[in-house]
Amino acid sequence: MSKNFKQDVLSRRTFAIISHPDAGKTTLTEKLLLFGGAIRDAGTVKGKKTGKYATSDWMEIEKQRGISVTSSVMQFDYKNARVNILDTPGHQDFSEDTYRTLTAVDSAVMIIDSAKGIEEQTLKLFKVCKMRGIPIFTFINKLDRQGKPPLELLAELEEVMGIESYPMNWPIGMGKEFLGIYDRFYNRIEQFRVEDKERYVDLNEDGEIEGDHPIKQDSLYDQTLEEIMLLNEAGNEFSEEKINNGDLTPVFFGSALSNFGVQTFLETYLQFAPSPQARKSTIGEIDPLSEEFSGFIFKIQANMNPAHRDRIAFLRICSGKFERGMTVNLPRTGKQVKLAQSTQFMADDRSTVNEAVSGDIIGLYDPGFYQIGDTLTVSKNAYQYEKLPQFTPELFVKVTAKNVMKQKHFHKGIQQLVQEGAIQLYKTVKTEDYLLGAVGQLQFEVFEHRMRNEYNVEVIMEHVGSKIARWLVDEEVNENLSSGRSLLVEDRYGKKAFLFENEFALRWFQDKNPEVKLYNPMDEQE
């Protein structure tokens, strides 16, 4: 194994940023990219009139609404590390995309709004990370606004999340009285809104400022010293092992919007975040330092460049080295694929990538034969990585093209957008109507918007309401069992399922037809 290859892999840090909408996720991503020199000027999500948008929000609908609805990938170098950030959608309707993204990372950064504390979506995503044993780093944001007391935020974090916390730094005041942070890790004070030369004040062995300093005159300084003493005596001990196991989260305070505390966070994060980890497969764990190339596709995105009508499959490299033009095996089909067109990402700004190693995320041009969850490997042993989570949709609409003459575009658009995995496609067995299923309403709005803007097709969507979907164990079934309350459909893989009106209709159907065996794919993943 070449020394450089090993060094390259160990320098990778691949993480997702998770939070509730509006906690400051996209803003923090921007500031991290700024430090990595990947962008010169951070676009702010709020500044719609300036025509500047966040680098990671590239889709038209995201620019209009100021929210992230797809996961974008960004890569930059910082000091001796190569960082891959996956910015996930905060909106709950896009939880599927986020859950799949979390399978492709080695750690997660959780952002909490200091005024709101732990919100519903943050908790959901946190639980997924905990379940997968992903190390979590916490950034408590918006300290330049009035928020909850820091000790209360820590208590909430530990009680609600069920995880130990260790504050790496501690705020000195907040809102209009925010003076900066007391850095426990670097044993210094970092002052807010103070020029670089004077920003940092070193502390002595007792954790206090030597001699005279204006900050010592402020009562907030004495209050902070008392709180630090309390943390030192009664708080959790720092443990790298617990961080790696996902049992302890290092906590950082700061303000992403005013770019305060972000660099300190980044440097400390890179020190303690894990390099690429081994991944489970059908033949056991695959070592990231193994020289045999392998990876899996966790996301497919159509029309990243609308002018070219392209589809990109996002691949997490799990072992070995990727070289453009290499031929790999696709175990699902048993066929070989030549990886000729490959890209690296800076949100929607792409450059051809010739080489990449374990931990990197690259985009592969997809002519239509990849599926989410596909394993690619040079190994002759046809193993596959763990299945990615699939969700049972709860909301359904019937979809048709407004203009009958646009059927060709309509079918192409549906097929391509469905392959991205955010919406699911069904066809009624008797009438062959198209139904779309999704976890949340916003997915339908994005679908309609993209059909109009990317495929030039106006669609009519009729709400069918919420349904309970159950698949058939045995494909043979009497089609006459299909009714308004238990609709028989086929998914895009040709597998039959019933869509039940409610729990009562499901139980009634099972009582009347005990020979029809049904299952929920979600049950297999728990």
Side-chain angles (χ1 to χ4, degrees):
M1 185 186 300
S2 69
K3 190 180 173 190
N4 281 359
F5 168 72
K6 188 174 177 180
Q7 276 178 346
D8 285 349
V9 173
L10 296 177
S11 74
R12 266 41 182 187
R13 297 291 182 273
T14 303
F15 67 94
I17 301 189
I18 60 172
S19 78
H20 198 81
D22 282 341
K25 180 159 49 68
T26 305
T27 310
L28 181 68
T29 308
E30 287 283 334
K31 296 307 193 296
L32 292 172
L33 295 176
L34 210 52
F35 284 118
I39 51 174
R40 287 189 195 87
D41 187 16
T44 162
V45 182
K46 301 284 183 226
K48 291 286 176 288
K49 288 177 185 162
T50 64
K52 272 180 14 180
Y53 304 104
T55 305
S56 56
D57 289 346
W58 55 267
M59 198 191 284
E60 197 58 42
I61 195 165
E62 298 181 304
K63 290 174 184 175
Q64 290 175 8
R65 289 180 178 232
I67 55 167
S68 304
V69 295
T70 53
S71 306
S72 14
V73 181
M74 285 140 289
Q75 189 180 65
F76 66 87
D77 292 327
Y78 187 81
K79 298 197 170 168
N80 296 320
R82 172 154 290 188
V83 184
N84 292 288
I85 304 182
L86 282 80
D87 178 20
T88 62
H91 202 287
Q92 61 189 31
D93 287 6
F94 285 80
S95 49
E96 273 189 85
D97 198 25
T98 305
Y99 288 159
R100 282 195 286 261
T101 297
L102 290 175
T103 63
V105 299
D106 301 301
S107 57
V109 172
M110 174 168 70
I111 303 183
I112 292 171
D113 183 327
S114 66
K116 294 175 182 169
I118 288 149
E119 297 172 89
E120 182 194 7
Q121 187 63 6
T122 320
L123 182 58
K124 274 186 187 172
L125 297 172
F126 168 82
K127 283 179 175 170
V128 176
C129 293
K130 195 92 175 74
M131 192 174 73
R132 301 189 69 87
I134 297 172
I136 297 161
F137 295 75
T138 302
F139 187 85
I140 296 182
N141 195 18
K142 305 186 183 178
L143 262 292
D144 51 345
R145 300 183 192 176
Q146 206 56 42
K148 295 182 178 183
L151 284 168
E152 193 182 306
L153 286 164
L154 275 199
E156 192 180 336
L157 186 65
E158 300 209 349
E159 285 162 25
V160 177
M161 303 291 205
I163 191 172
E164 290 182 21
S165 66
Y166 182 88
M168 303 296 271
N169 55 36
W170 197 251
I172 307 170
M174 67 165 57
K176 286 179 181 168
E177 294 182 318
F178 183 49
L179 300 181
I181 49 177
Y182 181 107
D183 196 325
R184 295 174 81 197
F185 184 70
Y186 289 108
N187 201 36
R188 65 189 184 189
I189 283 174
E190 185 176 346
Q191 299 180 87
F192 185 51
R193 299 200 195 284
V194 171
E195 289 304 308
D196 277 0
K197 286 178 190 172
E198 293 163 12
R199 185 191 293 184
Y200 300 104
V201 183
D202 290 329
L203 302 171
N204 62 20
E205 285 179 9
D206 299 324
E208 295 183 30
I209 297 173
E210 291 275 15
D212 284 335
H213 193 281
I215 207 167
K216 285 176 84 170
Q217 312 308 316
D218 199 302
S219 61
L220 287 169
Y221 172 73
D222 295 327
Q223 186 190 324
T224 302
L225 289 183
E226 282 174 27
E227 289 173 346
I228 291 293
M229 200 159 77
L230 180 68
L231 291 173
N232 290 342
E233 288 176 10
N236 298 311
E237 282 186 27
F238 183 80
S239 161
E240 220 172 317
E241 189 186 345
K242 281 189 171 180
I243 293 172
N244 288 331
N245 295 337
D247 295 327
L248 179 137
T249 179
V251 178
F252 302 82
F253 290 86
S255 163
L257 196 60
S258 45
N259 205 0
F260 182 77
V262 178
Q263 188 170 7
T264 301
F265 158 72
L266 175 62
E267 290 180 356
T268 319
Y269 164 80
L270 293 176
Q271 208 169 323
F272 293 105
S275 56
Q277 300 293 291
R279 302 265 155 179
K280 289 178 186 166
S281 80
T282 49
I283 58 162
E285 287 203 334
I286 306 295
D287 183 353
L289 294 172
S290 153
E291 288 202 331
E292 206 167 57
F293 169 82
S294 71
F296 65 88
I297 287 163
F298 64 94
K299 171 184 169 68
I300 291 173
Q301 183 79 52
N303 304 328
M304 281 191 75
N305 181 346
H308 293 173
R309 290 275 178 265
D310 60 350
R311 282 158 48 88
I312 299 292
F314 289 68
L315 180 91
R316 155 74 195 224
I317 302 175
C318 301
S319 67
K321 188 174 188 175
F322 163 84
E323 290 174 333
R324 192 159 69 95
M326 73 192 299
T327 300
V328 297
N329 300 310
L330 180 57
R332 177 177 55 81
T333 61
K335 291 181 177 167
Q336 289 198 317
V337 186
K338 187 175 182 184
L339 306 180
Q341 287 179 278
S342 49
T343 52
Q344 268 171 325
F345 299 97
M346 185 47 252
D348 64 340
D349 183 18
R350 293 182 276 163
S351 57
T352 297
V353 57
N354 294 312
E355 291 183 350
V357 299
S358 314
D360 284 335
I361 309 287
I362 60 169
L364 301 173
Y365 173 71
D366 179 14
F369 47 66
Y370 295 127
Q371 285 180 13
I372 288 171
D374 274 350
T375 295
L376 299 183
T377 173
V378 292
S379 172
K380 292 185 170 58
N381 188 344
Y383 66 84
Q384 299 200 38
Y385 283 103
E386 276 189 303
K387 272 187 173 179
L388 296 194
Q390 269 204 322
F391 289 73
T392 308
E394 292 158 18
L395 296 175
F396 292 84
V397 295
K398 179 181 165 186
V399 63
T400 48
K402 202 176 254 185
N403 183 344
V404 185
M405 306 300 286
K406 292 272 179 91
Q407 286 297 335
K408 192 178 172 188
H409 291 278
F410 173 71
H411 285 105
K412 183 183 178 185
I414 278 195
Q415 295 303 333
Q416 292 201 345
L417 295 182
V418 161
Q419 278 169 330
E420 293 183 9
I423 47 168
Q424 295 181 24
L425 178 66
Y426 302 87
K427 206 159 62 170
T428 56
V429 169
K430 283 187 172 177
T431 54
E432 299 208 337
D433 291 330
Y434 274 153
L435 298 181
L436 297 178
V439 175
Q441 174 61 30
L442 183 59
Q443 287 167 322
F444 295 135
E445 292 173 32
V446 170
F447 170 81
E448 185 177 16
H449 179 96
R450 293 186 65 189
M451 285 293 279
R452 182 169 60 247
N453 287 281
E454 294 171 22
Y455 298 94
N456 198 21
V457 178
E458 294 282 350
V459 295
I460 300 168
M461 293 201 284
E462 298 168 52
H463 281 270
V464 184
S466 56
K467 302 280 180 193
I468 297 167
R470 292 292 179 269
W471 274 256
L472 290 158
V473 174
D474 182 10
E475 290 295 305
E476 292 302 313
V477 68
N478 181 350
E479 291 183 7
N480 292 328
L481 291 176
S482 182
S483 69
R485 296 177 65 195
S486 51
L487 189 63
L488 183 62
V489 297
E490 264 185 16
D491 66 17
R492 71 184 178 103
Y493 303 110
K495 291 199 161 79
K496 289 192 173 72
F498 276 104
L499 304 182
F500 296 102
E501 197 172 38
N502 49 34
E503 285 286 351
F504 176 79
L506 168 60
R507 285 198 300 275
W508 189 87
F509 181 91
Q510 286 179 312
D511 290 345
K512 293 286 181 195
N513 307 287
E515 75 286 355
V516 180
K517 298 282 183 280
L518 303 169
Y519 73 97
N520 177 5
M522 291 287 282
D523 295 340
E524 298 175 352
Q525 289 159 167
E526 289 175 4

